[in-house]
Amino acid sequence: MSVLVRVDDRLVHGQVVVGWGRALTLRQLVLVDDAIAASDWEQDLYRMGVPGDMSIEFASVDVARERFTEWDRADDHGMVLVSDVDTLAQLCAVAPVQRVNLGGIHQGPDRTQRLAYVYLSDAEAQELRALADRGIAITAQDVPTTRPVPLREVLG
Amino acid sequence: MSDELRGVVVSHADLASALVEAVERITGRQDGLVAVSNTGCGRELLEQRVAEAVGDAPAVVFVDLPSGSCLQASAHYLQTHEDVAVVAGVNLAMLIDFLYHRDVTPREAAERAAETAARAVRVLTR
């Protein structure tokens, strides 16, 4: 199974390292974000949230283009994190992403609530629809113990 | 007193408001502490809530965990505000002590809070 790409504006936090980390026996996190990849102090901040039995790699979208196939081979024991739908779309444009988890996209400009933990603007909804039309499997699920909600249900 | 530090408690779910309420019940004081929850927030919105809670006065931001979204938002805010200090691992003992020792710098208050919290953790066995 291909590596799971999670969209979560909190990036490295409890649901990821504890909830998903234990359920999937995660050993490797990859945070794809151009700004964080260029900021040492932000990387230090995110490293603080990574348990000792997990490692984390920081990458720009450009680097992700080169590295994604390697992350994909690590499959069940890795997770790729992006903070928003725009970054997801950029990643999907340069890498063979197959599975996407919408884990936390919260209130923001022009966004309306779709689930308790998913708010989307019309433009973001359209971007996700376009990715799904390309064959990418997209579901919303904040923690592994809740039901995965198919994108069509999220968008209504 | 307006020149005393403000305390902002930032947590997952309703922990912060419960801690602030508990401090009020114990001390009878309703000043000095403000609660912020991360419920429904991405990092930017949570940072905005922290900024609103701090206002324009010197403050200590008390965060529940030494990692995660509450710390990230608070640490981001700290980057651009010199009159703020952040301390992670909030507990009731440090908040009560803070309430009575707010005429110091944010850094001094945060360091005192960390020491108070550590002293408050005890192990009892039979």
Side-chain angles (χ1 to χ4, degrees), chain A residues 9-10 12-13 41-42 45-46 48-49 106-107, chain B residues 40-43 66-67 69 71-72 75-76 79:
Chain A
D9 48 28
R10 299 157 296 183
V12 180
H13 68 117
W41 81 265
E42 283 208 81
L45 198 56
Y46 286 105
M48 289 172 67
H106 295 89
Q107 297 173 48
Chain B
C41 289
R43 196 196 69 197
S67 64
S69 58
L71 181 72
Q72 287 157 15
H76 251 264
Q79 283 297 109

Side-chain angles (χ1 to χ4, degrees), chain A residues 16 23-24 34 37 39 59 81 98 101 138:
Chain A
V16 171
L24 300 182
D34 287 351
S39 168
L81 298 166
Q98 293 181 44
N101 160 245
I138 304 176

